[in-house]
Amino acid sequence: MPISKPIPTNVITGFLGVGKTTAILHLLKHKPETERWAVLVNEFGEVGIDGSVLEGHESGQQGVFIREVPGGCMCCAAGLPMQVALNMLIARAKPDRLLIEPTGLGHPKEVLEVLGSEHYREILDLRATITLVDARKIHDARYLNHATFNQQLRVADVIVANKAEQYQPGDLPALLDYLHKTLNARSESVFPVSRGALELGWLDTSAGDDRLPDDHAAPQQFFSFAKAVDTPTEGYLGVGKESEGFYSQGWVFDADWVFDASRLYTLLSGAEAERIKGVFKTDQGVIAYDKADNVLSETRLEMSPDSRLECISSDKHALEYLEEAVIACSHSRTHYDQDAH
């Protein structure tokens, strides 16, 4: 893989629903026009949503290349899934900057170990690891007791307290106190922001080997490398899995299916899940749906090859009714009008 100089590389991590994809979109919008950037994105679920969202936003922008590794922690199996996808992405994009987004339930320490291995020593210039965190979660024992949540904070060179506009006065001080007293993590580089507004300068903070903790237990479940689930030729395909105390259920729908946007919004607004992400061809154009902290947002996209939905919940039974309910929101199998915006 011949390259003229090592590629500046950043890992952007954070727990479910913290806004990693929004933060990456913000960075892509502000990247230097003359640079080529590549994004390797990993998702807990099997169907792959983030790649569609990023491509739907950036389809008209030059110099952005995206590849997905769906199906859980991309660093499992001695880093092979990640290395295969990463090598293909670098060969295709020949980027000036590489951004890597592990799943919110992934293990960033192992991702960093792969990137820092001898194989990539002459290829990648490992820069700052940026961890996004919602300071309000510091008051929730489910997060404080989750090993991945804590590891994401420990490995950070820069900690971004996202969604700061929603904080109460005690939330940010509680985060700083937790970082200092409990995790013994770096608390001097904590930046409160809103809507994932990362600054480009944070990417080039020097990365240090001392941020890799030794207390990480190897993941108990193996996730094989695969591309995002293909669009079915007719009907739909559902895929589910369970790991890290969470259950994921995803669906991919025939490319000709068109959904009622109003009915979808009502359905997803009332659905109970820790995380909901979807991209749908609707009667109002292509819409991305994103639900975290019980707040559902909509974003218009330029295009999508199909419709797909991914829901993550700690309650397996909370997702069982969704399949029929989502199908009920579809119109007849008419061809989608790509110009219907």
Side-chain angles (χ1 to χ4, degrees):
M1 192 184 306
I3 59 172
S4 58
K5 62 180 180 179
I7 303 163
T9 300
N10 300 91
V11 173
I12 299 178
T13 187
F15 213 69
L16 291 174
V18 74
K20 296 186 296 298
T21 302
T22 300
I24 289 175
L25 283 169
H26 178 84
L27 290 172
L28 294 179
K29 289 176 182 177
H30 293 85
K31 80 171 186 68
E33 293 184 3
T34 58
E35 291 188 2
R36 297 159 62 92
W37 283 24
V39 182
L40 183 65
V41 57
N42 177 216
E43 294 197 66
F44 177 70
E46 302 282 351
V47 302
I49 302 293
D50 286 347
S52 296
V53 172
L54 290 167
E55 289 174 347
H57 274 283
E58 301 301 325
S59 60
Q61 180 175 334
Q62 298 298 313
V64 175
F65 301 84
I66 297 159
R67 186 172 177 85
E68 281 185 307
V69 184
C73 183
M74 63 176 154
C75 58
C76 299
L80 181 59
M82 178 177 171
Q83 290 182 48
V84 172
L86 182 56
N87 293 347
M88 294 177 68
L89 179 61
I90 293 173
R92 171 182 168 230
K94 299 178 177 59
D96 299 296
R97 169 82 61 177
L98 173 65
L99 304 178
I100 297 179
E101 178 197 343
T103 169
L105 293 171
H107 308 92
K109 172 182 176 287
E110 293 181 335
V111 173
L112 290 164
E113 288 175 344
V114 172
L115 298 177
S117 66
E118 183 175 353
H119 175 74
Y120 289 110
R121 197 153 294 163
E122 304 300 322
I123 300 172
L124 302 179
D125 175 9
L126 196 56
R127 304 287 179 90
T129 294
I130 298 178
T131 296
L132 278 72
V133 62
D134 185 339
R136 296 172 296 174
K137 305 305 183 185
I138 296 300
H139 308 294
D140 190 334
R142 294 178 302 170
Y143 290 82
L144 303 187
N145 294 329
H146 203 290
T148 299
F149 178 82
N150 288 314
Q151 187 189 108
Q152 289 167 349
L153 292 171
R154 284 194 177 103
V155 302
D157 296 298
V158 176
I159 294 175
V160 176
N162 197 27
K163 305 185 180 182
E165 77 282 0
Q166 302 178 39
Y167 292 176
Q168 295 299 315
D171 291 337
L172 189 58
L175 171 62
L176 297 174
D177 188 67
Y178 182 72
L179 290 170
H180 177 68
K181 294 183 178 179
T182 304
L183 295 185
N184 193 28
R186 300 178 179 181
S187 58
E188 66 274 13
S189 298
V190 179
F191 301 97
V193 305
S194 298
R195 302 174 186 85
L198 274 60
E199 295 186 12
L200 290 178
W202 296 342
L203 297 176
D204 290 321
T205 302
S206 297
D209 293 336
D210 60 333
R211 62 212 160 97
L212 301 180
D214 295 325
D215 58 354
H216 172 62
Q220 296 300 308
Q221 183 166 347
F222 167 76
F223 301 106
S224 61
F225 170 69
K227 65 178 180 177
V229 175
D230 288 333
T231 306
T233 55
E234 61 180 25
Y236 66 95
L237 175 66
V239 186
K241 62 185 285 286
E242 187 172 7
S243 183
E244 297 285 328
F246 287 85
Y247 180 78
S248 157
Q249 181 64 47
W251 299 269
V252 183
F253 301 92
D254 185 308
D256 289 339
W257 283 30
V258 180
F259 291 80
D260 185 306
S262 297
R263 294 180 65 185
L264 264 180
Y265 185 87
T266 300
L267 170 64
L268 299 179
S269 292
E272 296 183 3
E274 272 76 9
R275 194 76 171 96
I276 294 177
K277 294 185 289 185
V279 175
F280 284 89
K281 295 179 174 181
T282 79
D283 52 2
Q284 298 179 27
V286 179
I287 302 177
Y289 297 90
D290 192 315
K291 186 173 184 179
D293 300 320
N294 292 318
V295 177
L296 180 67
S297 62
E298 294 178 299
T299 304
R300 299 300 174 120
L301 302 181
E302 296 179 13
M303 53 80 67
S304 179
D306 55 32
S307 297
R308 50 185 62 206
L309 177 68
E310 190 86 57
C311 301
I312 300 175
S313 176
S314 56
D315 180 4
K316 180 176 182 178
H317 303 292
L319 306 180
E320 292 179 346
Y321 77 97
L322 272 176
E323 184 170 297
E324 291 186 7
V326 172
I327 292 173
C329 294
S330 65
H331 293 302
S332 59
R333 315 315 190 236
T334 55
H335 287 278
Y336 174 74
D337 181 1
Q338 191 69 58
D339 296 327
H341 285 271

